[in-house]
Amino acid sequence: MKVAKVFLLLTIIGCSVSFISSCNSNDEDNGTGDDKSLEQLIQDNLGETMPFEQMHDTMQVAHMVRVWNGCHNAKFIDNLQDLYASQIFFYGEDRNSYDAVQIKRKVFNKYPDYFQRIIGGIRVKKINPSEYRADFTKYISVGKITAPVPAYIIFKKTEENKWVIVAESDPETDIKTKELKDSMQLLMERYSPSTSEIKGNFSGKGSETIYVFPPDDPNCSDCTTSLFFSNELLPPLDIKETKGASLLNQGDLDGDGMDEFSALTKTGNTGYITIYTFKRGTWNIMKKFQVNYNTLFSDQEARKNSVQLAGSGYIYIQEQKGDSIHQEKVNIWEY
């Protein structure tokens, strides 16, 4: 593939793009923008501006994971074969690259709304002088299935600035099955849809979705509810000591151009509202206070009234204290 075409194709589908020679494209020109607009796309959406050949091995491997992720699009399925070695360990079995691509083509044809995104970080570990393993979590959405799936890829360096995938799988598949199934069937057996979701501009980059995954065991004693985000720049968020969470977009409470959200949870018999805000690359608690869980869970209007703006830098909260509700003015610029 011509470098310019690689840049444009992979940028549009969310791949990392810097001097890539791995994926091939069709002969037609898919470009729609000039060099300046393409450069801006890379800077705004990908966070990578360093030329590929200037990256060290660990950076190149993380970069290639993003390329692999971006190729998971029905229009670019053939490009995956150029990333694979001729023989690859593929979800529990040794296969040739052609068969591996045909399996994925089957999945995409069966589930045309299939979507995946890498969430959280990519952890790269050197196995030997020529091989590196990348571990990450891929968020998968198809039909009613929305699932975070731990996964890994092993890359082998064949020459300077050139890598191929020699293994692609996830730990559960390696352990659970020796006979490869359709990856969506595996998902449907292992995961449930998120219990709820909300949308908002939580990173300042546009509309994003938050997905709520309660613990698998409803009888757990040390429960954790996990939140995952459609924007991979937003790290997953675990809420401890709760079997679920009801979310509400609170709007931009502190005037920084990004929405905050609240989570209504229950620990034991006590209900809480926790307001979260994304600052300096991490999730921060703006305020946590006690509430009547049953009342707010069933009364959406009361839930909305529990947090209100109170002038620049302040909010009012409705906190449950004993049998009564007290209104408190909170300085949210001091959290």
Side-chain angles (χ1 to χ4, degrees):
M1 174 192 254
K2 301 293 188 296
V3 172
K5 291 183 180 179
V6 177
F7 276 174
L8 201 45
L9 285 174
L10 298 184
T11 300
I12 291 172
I13 61 174
C15 290
S16 180
V17 289
S18 293
F19 293 93
I20 300 171
S21 58
S22 299
C23 291
N24 290 331
S25 74
N26 299 324
D27 291 331
E28 65 269 17
D29 184 6
N30 293 289
T32 57
D34 56 24
D35 290 341
K36 183 176 180 181
S37 62
L38 177 58
E39 181 179 321
Q40 194 65 45
L41 275 173
I42 297 172
Q43 182 178 348
D44 291 348
N45 300 320
L46 306 172
E48 287 190 13
T49 58
M50 181 184 295
F52 186 69
E53 69 270 15
Q54 292 182 17
M55 299 178 185
H56 55 65
D57 285 354
T58 299
M59 293 175 65
Q60 287 190 354
V61 168
H63 180 98
M64 293 307 298
V65 172
R66 297 186 184 97
V67 173
W68 166 86
N69 179 69
C71 290
H72 283 74
N73 177 304
K75 294 181 292 184
F76 305 104
I77 181 64
D78 290 326
N79 301 353
L80 282 169
Q81 193 162 340
D82 296 308
L83 298 179
Y84 291 148
S86 58
Q87 294 293 319
I88 176 176
F89 179 77
F90 191 76
Y91 298 96
E93 282 193 359
D94 292 321
R95 295 186 179 270
N96 63 52
S97 60
Y98 176 81
D99 288 343
V101 172
Q102 293 312 305
I103 289 169
K104 291 206 170 185
R105 189 188 306 280
K106 174 187 172 184
V107 172
F108 293 170
N109 288 340
K110 186 174 181 179
Y111 305 98
D113 63 342
Y114 178 93
F115 168 82
Q116 76 172 43
R117 180 188 296 276
I118 295 172
I119 55 179
I122 300 171
R123 302 166 299 284
V124 179
K125 181 180 180 181
K126 186 175 183 178
I127 301 175
N128 57 52
S130 63
E131 292 186 338
Y132 286 72
R133 172 171 167 149
D135 288 89
F136 53 91
T137 299
K138 57 184 179 182
Y139 163 82
I140 288 178
S141 174
V142 57
K144 294 183 178 181
I145 298 295
T146 50
V149 182
Y152 71 86
I153 297 176
I154 297 177
F155 288 89
K156 182 174 183 178
K157 191 173 188 178
T158 57
E159 57 185 83
E160 194 67 22
N161 301 320
K162 176 68 176 179
W163 300 85
V164 293
I165 295 173
V166 295
E168 175 188 326
S169 191
D170 64 75
E172 288 199 39
T173 297
D174 289 349
I175 295 171
K176 182 176 179 178
T177 181
K178 295 292 184 183
E179 185 174 323
L180 181 71
K181 297 180 180 180
D182 177 314
S183 63
M184 288 300 103
Q185 290 176 326
L186 285 173
L187 279 178
M188 290 173 185
E189 290 177 4
R190 284 192 249 142
Y191 297 98
S192 300
S194 62
T195 57
S196 62
E197 58 187 62
I198 62 168
K199 295 184 181 296
N201 181 13
F202 305 107
S203 70
K205 299 293 186 180
S207 180
E208 295 142 341
T209 304
I210 309 179
Y211 301 92
V212 182
F213 291 90
D216 294 331
D217 180 7
N219 299 315
C220 58
S221 57
D222 185 16
C223 304
T224 296
T225 292
S226 298
L227 309 184
F228 290 88
F229 303 83
S230 60
N231 182 348
E232 66 184 76
L233 298 178
L234 295 171
L237 175 62
D238 286 339
I239 305 177
K240 305 291 187 181
E241 300 180 338
T242 184
K243 296 181 179 180
S246 174
L247 306 187
L248 182 67
N249 186 338
Q250 297 290 167
D252 183 6
L253 296 177
D254 57 4
D256 65 350
M258 297 185 290
D259 292 340
E260 279 71 44
F261 73 91
S262 63
L264 174 64
T265 61
K266 183 166 66 171
T267 301
N269 294 319
T270 305
Y272 295 95
I273 280 182
T274 307
I275 305 172
Y276 292 93
T277 184
F278 190 67
K279 295 286 188 297
R280 299 173 291 278
T282 61
W283 288 106
N284 297 269
I285 294 178
M286 181 176 281
K287 184 66 178 179
K288 181 176 182 178
F289 55 99
Q290 189 171 324
V291 296
N292 186 313
Y293 178 87
N294 293 331
T295 298
L296 296 191
F297 188 81
S298 59
D299 188 340
Q300 188 71 2
E301 195 61 33
R303 169 78 185 277
K304 291 179 180 178
N305 290 335
S306 64
V307 179
Q308 295 184 352
L309 290 172
S312 181
Y314 290 88
I315 58 171
Y316 289 121
I317 62 169
Q318 306 290 331
E319 183 169 17
Q320 182 84 25
K321 292 185 176 181
D323 295 329
S324 59
I325 296 176
H326 295 261
Q327 179 170 284
E328 179 184 349
K329 189 174 184 180
V330 178
N331 185 339
I332 55 176
W333 286 352
E334 292 183 350
Y335 67 89

